[in-house]
Every structure is written in structure tokens, then in C-alpha cells.
Amino acid sequence: MNCRELIYQRMKSLHLYRFPKEKMTLVQCELESYLCVLEQLQEQIKKIYSDSVLEDCSEQRLEEFERLMAIPISPKIPIEKRRKIAQSKWSIAPSDYHREGLERALRALGIRAEVKEKPGSGNIIVTAKEMANSDMTLDEAKQVFRALMPAHLEAEFVTGGICFAEFDSMDKSCAEIDEMDKSWSQLEMMGKEEWVGGERKVAKQL
């Protein structure tokens, strides 16, 4: 029910006023002057309300949320991923800026990571172990990480993958890598145990 219908309904329920259709009474004229402002106000409130929730707000409003939470605006990242980043940061309370809280926030975005303090520096190192979303690139994962960090906290984002020498020593063929059914970003995060496990899996299939 809009404000017009509600006001006339309440006024009629008092049984003190008549609102003939043939001509406007003084009371009706007064009500209409109020409604001229109230209806515009109601439309503005509806517009704000309909665009105020992160789950389905417009891209323009999403950018406003990102600025509010000091999240870098990255048009290259799909809008749905940007929503998830904003939702995750919005859910972090000041008391959540500790190892478990940060790991939980990253997990909510599909990034399994380990947070450790860098000895003697007061900074932290975040080691990404796995990404559930195969479409997310490593650069996007880093942007997600930076967006979640508070401005005062110095942190470094690294992957838990093997170095080039270790990869080269396994002598993997392109066919074997394709059999693992992983994106390049996911491969970069795989530790040696996962690579060896992948070899065993491929061997069983053959």
C-alpha cells in the first residue's frame, strides 16, 4: 500500500471526513498538498532501498561500497566476484583481524590460505594453497587478498606452489598436465605432494 492509499484509508476510518468524487473539499486539497511531497519522498526511499543491498545492487552502488571499505575498484574482475569480495570484507569485524578470521574470510571467497606472522617484522605472510574457483586468476586472488587487509597491516601474498627447478625435475608433459584438469592459477598453488598425487592419479587412469 502506498502513502496515498494509506492516508485516505486512515482518514476515512475516522468517519469524520467525506471525500466526494464530484469536487475537492478543503481537507482533500490539504491532503493533496502533503501527498505532493510525500509521494516524491516515497519514490526516492524506494529507489535507495532497492539499490542498497550488496547482493543485487547496481554497479555504481557497488563502487560506492568498495570506496567505503577501501577496496580497490577493479573493473576487469567480474561483478559477481567483486560482490563476494565486498560481502566478505563487510562481514569482517575489527575483532576478526587475526589468523583464523583472515583465513575464514579468504575461504569464503574460495581461497584456502595459511596466515603466518613474519618473524621480527610484525608483518604477515599469506600463503595461498588452493583456489576453489578455477576461473579466478592468481592476480585476481592477490587483489581479493589486498581488498580484505586493513590499511595499517603490512602483508605479503605468496603461493604455496613448487619452484621452477622442482617442476622441471618432474619432467611433466603437456598431456599429463592436461589430465590433472586444473587451471594455471591452481597449478601455481599446488605443493609437491599434490603434484605427486596428481601423477599417481593419472597413472591409475592409464
Side-chain angles (χ1 to χ4, degrees):
M1 185 178 292
N2 58 40
C3 61
R4 173 177 291 276
E5 293 170 335
L6 186 59
I7 286 176
Y8 274 101
Q9 183 190 73
R10 296 289 173 83
M11 293 290 284
K12 287 177 181 178
S13 69
L14 296 173
H15 302 291
L16 296 174
Y17 306 99
R18 291 186 301 109
F19 301 108
K21 294 182 179 179
E22 307 83 49
K23 59 180 180 178
M24 296 275 285
T25 65
L26 288 175
V27 173
Q28 279 179 288
C29 291
E30 185 176 2
L31 286 178
E32 288 299 322
S33 68
Y34 299 150
L35 286 168
C36 183
V37 176
L38 288 173
E39 286 180 327
Q40 290 183 41
L41 179 61
Q42 187 178 45
E43 284 303 310
Q44 288 297 318
I45 291 172
K46 281 182 179 178
K47 187 177 178 181
I48 293 170
Y49 180 77
S50 65
D51 199 29
S52 63
V53 183
L54 273 169
E55 284 83 346
D56 56 7
C57 66
S58 65
E59 187 169 2
Q60 182 180 354
R61 181 54 58 88
L62 177 60
E63 288 184 6
E64 291 173 3
F65 275 119
E66 289 172 327
R67 290 190 187 95
L68 176 66
M69 294 184 281
I71 298 173
I73 298 172
S74 306
K76 291 182 180 179
I77 298 178
I79 190 167
E80 290 309 314
K81 288 182 184 176
R82 288 168 58 192
R83 288 187 200 282
K84 288 181 180 179
I85 293 170
Q87 287 169 339
S88 187
K89 185 157 188 180
W90 191 267
S91 68
I92 300 175
S95 59
D96 289 329
Y97 284 113
H98 49 71
R99 183 176 61 81
E100 294 84 359
L102 293 174
E103 288 179 356
R104 187 168 56 248
L106 288 165
R107 271 199 309 274
L109 294 168
I111 302 172
R112 185 170 64 84
E114 184 180 51
V115 178
K116 287 185 177 180
E117 188 173 349
K118 199 172 181 179
S121 68
N123 300 340
I124 63 169
I125 297 177
V126 178
T127 305
K129 302 286 188 178
E130 182 183 2
M131 288 195 302
N133 187 348
S134 60
D135 294 328
M136 184 182 286
T137 67
L138 193 56
D139 284 339
E140 287 175 348
K142 288 179 180 179
Q143 285 179 306
V144 167
F145 159 71
R146 293 190 187 102
L148 293 177
M149 294 300 105
H152 69 275
L153 186 61
E154 290 290 332
E156 182 182 351
F157 184 89
V158 298
T159 67
I162 59 176
C163 66
F164 180 77
E166 289 175 310
F167 174 77
D168 193 47
S169 68
M170 288 188 288
D171 196 27
K172 286 275 189 181
S173 68
C174 291
E176 287 175 317
I177 293 174
D178 287 341
E179 286 286 341
M180 297 178 77
D181 194 28
K182 300 277 188 181
S183 69
W184 282 110
S185 295
Q186 289 174 316
L187 291 172
E188 284 184 87
M189 293 188 182
M190 284 172 52
K192 192 165 185 178
E193 289 183 3
E194 291 176 281
W195 280 100
V196 173
E199 285 180 347
R200 290 171 184 163
K201 184 179 178 182
V202 171
K204 286 181 180 179
Q205 291 174 342
L206 295 174

